[in-house]
Amino acid sequence: MLNFDEARFLRIQSGAVGLAAEIDATLTRFLGEGATNLFFLGTGGAAILMQPAVQLLQRRSTLPTYLELSAELVIGGRADLGAHSIVVIPSLSGTTKESVAALEFCRRQGAKVITLVGHAETPLGRQADASFVNFAEDDTSCESFYLQALAIALSVMRQRNELHSASALAAELVSLPSLLLEAKRAFETKAPEIAGKIAADPYHIITAAGAMWPQAFYYGMCILEEMQWIRTRPVHASDFFHGTLELVEKGVSVMLFKGEDAYRPLAERIEAFTPAYTDKLLVLDTASVALPGLSQELRALISPAVMATLLERVSAHLEVIREHPLTTRRYYKRVAY
């Protein structure tokens, strides 16, 4: 595979899965001490990657679960954030200033803070009540964060007897790193063509629904915009027909990501509509990916991670086609802001 270290990928994703037991023990302790709600915070892409786990908990658990922007929380606060709260903050670097400020704010409110970081000796690694460390880099962080957040959600629901299959699903995850690697290998021959289509246009509408929506948002904002300087319009499939459809015409690129959860029909509605109005519809569907041995229930939950693993292959070819390295930045962590 182009510019890809298979051993490193397996090590990182296996590391994420391997944290599940320690995550479960920590949540058992915090919930046992009387925690009554759960906050997921974060900044930028790391926060976006928490969304599938947040959705799962909000829809399947009675534990009040919230997703907040770190910078807004520090300014505005929350009446229900306090000593009875568990706060989860992801940051690959462990140094994101908005997230560090959020950690300090939440600790002052008495909350128990869990951090998910790539480096232990960082502000977020050192100052949390519990820190889970799994080194990753930009090309491997999506799957790692998705898997750690899912482990948190499964732990909460297992302890509250809200998802009887939680333990079985957690056990299934052990085989996922190698399955994701095989998915990359199978997709490698298709990735250059898809990258070429993305490179050919200066603007893309990107859409998805359910647990797949965060990955659409993430890929548009954090990869195509930040790392490739390509303009995008991420829009949730539920909102596509309430404004964005008026921009669809011949020559306009629409990228549709399809997952495998109950919200798939929202994506299929767009898939049925757009070919009549644009000649540039690109559909990526995780249902076409072979993941032998995984239950359909788990496939639905991990489809954003599967999509991320495919899109990493697209991005690897995209940077070569455009002669624009994914590490190139003009402003991010380069100028004061």
Side-chain angles (χ1 to χ4, degrees), residues 162-272:
E162 293 171 328
L163 184 65
H164 296 305
S165 58
S167 296
L169 292 171
E172 281 189 68
L173 284 172
V174 174
S175 65
L176 188 60
S178 60
L179 292 174
L180 290 176
L181 179 58
E182 289 304 317
K184 284 181 183 290
R185 287 179 179 147
F187 191 70
E188 181 70 9
T189 57
K190 302 173 186 176
E193 179 185 357
I194 295 169
K197 291 179 179 179
I198 295 173
D201 286 294
Y203 167 76
H204 302 272
I205 296 170
I206 306 179
T207 186
M212 188 60 74
W213 160 242
Q215 183 57 33
F217 184 21
Y218 179 93
Y219 196 69
M221 185 179 82
C222 297
I223 307 300
L224 296 186
E225 291 184 346
E226 177 187 324
M227 300 184 184
Q228 288 292 291
W229 307 348
I230 295 173
R231 291 175 173 85
T232 70
R233 167 64 164 103
V235 58
H236 195 287
S238 295
D239 293 328
F240 184 90
F241 293 99
H242 299 274
T244 303
L245 82 166
E246 290 295 336
L247 296 178
V248 178
E249 59 184 356
K250 186 176 180 180
V252 172
S253 170
V254 177
M255 298 171 59
L256 174 64
F257 299 166
K258 296 175 68 178
E260 301 174 57
D261 60 16
Y263 308 96
R264 185 178 173 90
L266 297 175
E268 291 174 336
R269 184 185 180 197
I270 294 172
E271 187 176 19

Side-chain angles (χ1 to χ4, degrees), residues 269-299:
R269 184 185 180 197
I270 294 172
E271 187 176 19
F273 170 83
T274 51
Y277 302 98
T278 181
D279 54 343
K280 292 186 176 180
L281 171 64
L282 173 62
V283 179
L284 297 179
D285 186 355
T286 61
S288 66
V289 178
L291 298 169
L294 296 192
S295 65
Q296 187 55 48
E297 184 177 13
L298 185 62
R299 288 187 65 115

Side-chain angles (χ1 to χ4, degrees), residues 24-337:
D24 185 60
T26 298
L27 285 165
T28 298
R29 177 161 56 91
F30 288 170
L31 290 169
E33 292 171 353
T36 58
N37 62 28
L38 175 61
F39 286 82
F40 284 80
L41 306 182
T43 307
I48 294 170
L49 299 174
M50 298 294 103
Q51 290 185 23
V54 173
Q55 289 179 9
L56 177 61
L57 286 166
Q58 289 178 339
R59 292 166 178 167
R60 303 284 294 275
S61 175
T62 57
L63 180 71
T65 302
Y66 311 102
L67 181 68
E68 287 281 345
L69 297 172
S70 294
E72 286 200 352
L73 181 71
V74 171
I75 292 173
R78 284 277 307 220
D80 48 0
L81 174 69
H84 51 279
S85 302
I86 301 171
V87 174
V88 178
I89 304 177
S91 171
L92 189 59
S93 69
T95 62
T96 309
K97 65 178 184 179
E98 295 93 339
S99 295
V100 172
L103 179 147
E104 294 169 350
F105 177 83
C106 292
R107 292 292 303 273
R108 289 197 297 272
Q109 311 309 308
K112 297 290 188 182
V113 178
I114 295 171
T115 58
L116 311 176
V117 297
H119 307 276
E121 292 304 312
T122 58
L124 288 171
R126 291 190 300 264
Q127 298 174 28
D129 294 283
S131 180
F132 299 100
V133 182
N134 189 49
F135 171 80
E137 293 178 314
D138 285 339
D139 61 340
T140 53
S141 63
C142 280
E143 300 95 327
S144 176
F145 276 138
Y146 279 138
L147 294 175
Q148 292 175 69
L150 178 58
I152 291 171
L154 292 177
S155 174
V156 168
M157 290 188 292
R158 180 193 63 77
Q159 294 181 59
R160 295 169 62 85
N161 295 314
E162 293 171 328
L163 184 65
H164 296 305
S165 58
S167 296
L169 292 171
E172 281 189 68
L173 284 172
V174 174
S175 65
L176 188 60
S178 60
L179 292 174
L180 290 176
L181 179 58
E182 289 304 317
K184 284 181 183 290
R185 287 179 179 147
F187 191 70
E188 181 70 9
T189 57
K190 302 173 186 176
E193 179 185 357
I194 295 169
K197 291 179 179 179
I198 295 173
D201 286 294
Y203 167 76
H204 302 272
I205 296 170
I206 306 179
T207 186
M212 188 60 74
W213 160 242
Q215 183 57 33
F217 184 21
Y218 179 93
Y219 196 69
M221 185 179 82
C222 297
I223 307 300
L224 296 186
E225 291 184 346
E226 177 187 324
M227 300 184 184
Q228 288 292 291
W229 307 348
I230 295 173
R231 291 175 173 85
T232 70
R233 167 64 164 103
V235 58
H236 195 287
S238 295
D239 293 328
F240 184 90
F241 293 99
H242 299 274
T244 303
L245 82 166
E246 290 295 336
L247 296 178
V248 178
E249 59 184 356
K250 186 176 180 180
V252 172
S253 170
V254 177
M255 298 171 59
L256 174 64
F257 299 166
K258 296 175 68 178
E260 301 174 57
D261 60 16
Y263 308 96
R264 185 178 173 90
L266 297 175
E268 291 174 336
R269 184 185 180 197
I270 294 172
E271 187 176 19
F273 170 83
T274 51
Y277 302 98
T278 181
D279 54 343
K280 292 186 176 180
L281 171 64
L282 173 62
V283 179
L284 297 179
D285 186 355
T286 61
S288 66
V289 178
L291 298 169
L294 296 192
S295 65
Q296 187 55 48
E297 184 177 13
L298 185 62
R299 288 187 65 115
L301 294 176
I302 55 90
S303 57
V306 176
M307 185 64 72
T309 222
L310 301 182
L311 288 170
E312 181 277 326
R313 291 289 78 215
V314 173
S315 300
H317 289 274
L318 184 61
E319 70 173 344
V320 173
I321 292 170
R322 299 187 74 242
E323 298 181 348
H324 184 128
L326 294 165
T327 54
T328 300
R329 305 288 190 278
R330 289 183 293 183
Y331 313 120
Y332 182 64
K333 294 186 177 180
R334 295 187 182 277
V335 300
Y337 51 83

